[in-house]
């Protein structure tokens, strides 16, 4: 089996602690493969009335992984760019996208002919996540390239293991 180098890597950020780990991993890969790094931050500009309707209808905020407001998204993107540059990566684009995160990531990856999408995911914790799907689930279904899902690191430096996996 021949392994290929990545030429363009797309990474998503929402400014969270996990997003910092995800961007650092994507930047490390970009440096290792001498690839361009494209950072994407999806955000929502829903008017307050529409936002309240969505939350009331679904019983929670359906915009998982999506930053609320352009200003907050800009700050998340700035933080991601700082992290990527500290790792030595070449950031070829930093994009704010008003829209749903999985669609933003897969669309940008296709437009940029990306070889890899890197994103973070926590274990499904809510009924809404299980019914509606998560960003990671949707990206892996729709992506036309490799997808790397980065899990949060706990205090001991180990990756979280789902409870059901520990029973095996």
């Amino acid at each position: 089996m021949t392994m290929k180098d990545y030429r363009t890597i797309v990474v998503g950020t929402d400014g969270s602690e996990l997003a910092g780990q995800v961007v650092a991993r994507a930047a490390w890969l970009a440096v290792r493969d001498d690839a361009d790094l494209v950072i994407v931050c999806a955000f929502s500009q829903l008017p307050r009335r529409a936002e309240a309707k969505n939350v009331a209808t679904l019983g929670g905020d359906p915009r998982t992984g999506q930053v609320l407001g352009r200003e907050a998204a800009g700050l998340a993107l700035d933080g991601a760019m700082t992290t990527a540059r500290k790792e030595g990566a070449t950031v070829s684009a930093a994009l704010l996208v008003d829209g749903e995160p999985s669609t933003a990531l897969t669309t940008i990856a296709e437009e940029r002919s990306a070889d890899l999408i890197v994103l973070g995911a926590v274990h499904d914790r809510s009924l809404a996540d299980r019914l509606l799907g998560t960003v990671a689930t949707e990206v892996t279904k729709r992506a036309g390239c490799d997808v790397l899902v980065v899990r949060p690191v706990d205090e001991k430096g180990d990756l979280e293991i789902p409870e059901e996996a520990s029973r095996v």
Side-chain angles (χ1 to χ4, degrees):
M1 178 171 163
T2 305
M3 300 299 275
K4 65 177 181 171
D5 287 340
Y6 296 116
R7 296 175 315 264
T8 302
I9 299 171
V10 171
V11 61
T13 186
D14 63 6
S16 66
E17 183 178 335
L18 175 58
Q21 296 170 28
V22 172
V23 171
R25 177 75 56 90
W28 179 84
L29 285 167
V31 169
R32 186 189 70 112
D33 284 0
D34 194 27
D36 288 332
L37 186 63
V38 177
I39 304 172
V40 178
C41 182
F43 69 97
S44 173
Q45 283 292 91
L46 279 179
R48 286 186 184 264
R49 179 176 234 153
E51 182 178 324
K53 184 178 179 183
N54 274 347
V55 171
T57 303
L58 296 173
D61 196 338
R63 297 164 298 177
T64 304
Q66 193 170 29
V67 178
L68 302 180
R70 188 177 195 85
E71 184 178 336
L75 292 173
L77 201 58
D78 288 345
M81 287 173 38
T82 299
T83 298
R85 288 186 178 130
K86 280 182 185 173
E87 294 291 326
T90 300
V91 178
S92 62
L95 308 170
L96 292 175
V97 179
D98 185 358
E100 196 273 323
S102 62
T103 301
L105 288 167
T106 54
T107 300
I108 297 299
E110 186 177 325
E111 289 172 357
R112 303 260 175 175
S113 300
D115 308 293
L116 176 68
I117 298 172
V118 182
L119 55 93
V122 293
H123 298 287
D124 293 343
R125 289 188 161 87
S126 73
L127 181 59
D129 283 348
R130 292 170 195 224
L131 291 174
L132 300 174
T134 62
V135 173
T137 301
E138 290 305 309
V139 169
T140 56
K141 285 180 188 176
R142 295 191 265 174
C145 62
D146 292 350
V147 177
L148 172 63
V149 178
V150 178
R151 296 288 189 177
V153 176
D154 73 11
E155 311 80 51
K156 298 174 188 169
D158 296 327
L159 295 178
E160 290 185 71
I161 298 172
E163 187 177 314
E164 54 273 7
S166 63
R167 293 183 195 149
V168 178

